[in-house]
Amino acid sequence: MSSVRLDKWLWAARFFKTRALAKKAIEGGKVHYNGARAKTSKLVEVGALIRVPQGWDVMEVEVLLLSDQRRGAPEARTLYQETTESQERRTQEAESRRLANQAMQHPLKRPDSRDRRQIKRFMRGEDSGKG
């Protein structure tokens, strides 16, 4: 295989469920090819660096093989290799998200009618008149 379109390669490498979703992400400027925004029809080359959003994270991968056929996940992972900087950044961000979730204090119960009225007053910026 000599050349593959970017949207087709992202679909084959299982970054997106459909080519339409891959196209939408590329056109929306979320996917970068060698550090720059790319078009859907950009031809992928071996050795190129591609930044792809994956949920909360952004993966930076190096293209190892070209394919325009979608196969199983283990085989799709052979098409690319994630850079070490990307792996370190993703683990740091995951750790910071975990710590932020731990620091959040969740309510013990759902708000009742009185609590909801107080929340609405607070959100509108009104003084409760009590206190």
Side-chain angles (χ1 to χ4, degrees):
M1 175 139 313
S2 60
S3 63
V4 179
R5 290 170 50 111
L6 182 58
D7 62 337
K8 207 169 209 182
W9 187 86
L10 289 170
W11 169 75
R14 294 184 160 264
F15 285 106
F16 296 97
K17 217 170 203 175
T18 64
R19 280 184 62 192
L21 290 174
K23 179 181 178 187
K24 194 174 188 179
I26 294 167
E27 289 174 348
K30 306 233 184 309
V31 176
H32 290 151
Y33 183 86
N34 284 337
R37 286 179 65 169
K39 291 189 176 181
T40 308
S41 60
K42 175 76 176 162
L43 296 179
V44 178
E45 302 166 345
V46 173
L49 288 176
I50 300 176
R51 291 188 60 177
V52 184
Q54 292 288 288
W56 294 100
D57 300 319
V58 177
M59 285 182 68
E60 187 170 300
V61 297
E62 180 183 353
V63 178
L64 299 178
L65 297 171
L66 299 179
S67 176
D68 64 349
Q69 294 182 337
R70 190 171 171 100
R71 302 204 188 269
E75 197 171 329
R77 275 188 232 108
T78 63
L79 298 177
Y80 62 89
Q81 178 181 3
E82 187 175 8
T83 61
T84 55
E85 298 87 22
S86 174
Q87 289 174 342
E88 291 169 1
R89 185 176 55 244
R90 285 189 323 115
T91 55
Q92 287 174 353
E93 289 173 357
E95 182 66 19
S96 66
R97 280 194 304 271
R98 188 184 67 79
L99 292 174
N101 283 339
Q102 281 183 346
M104 258 183 163
Q105 193 173 21
H106 297 286
L108 298 175
K109 63 180 180 79
R110 292 181 57 178
D112 56 14
S113 298
R114 180 174 176 254
D115 294 335
R116 283 195 300 274
R117 282 194 301 272
Q118 289 176 343
I119 291 169
K120 285 179 185 176
R121 282 190 202 118
F122 177 77
M123 297 300 283
R124 286 190 304 245
E126 295 178 5
D127 186 21
S128 65
K130 297 177 182 165

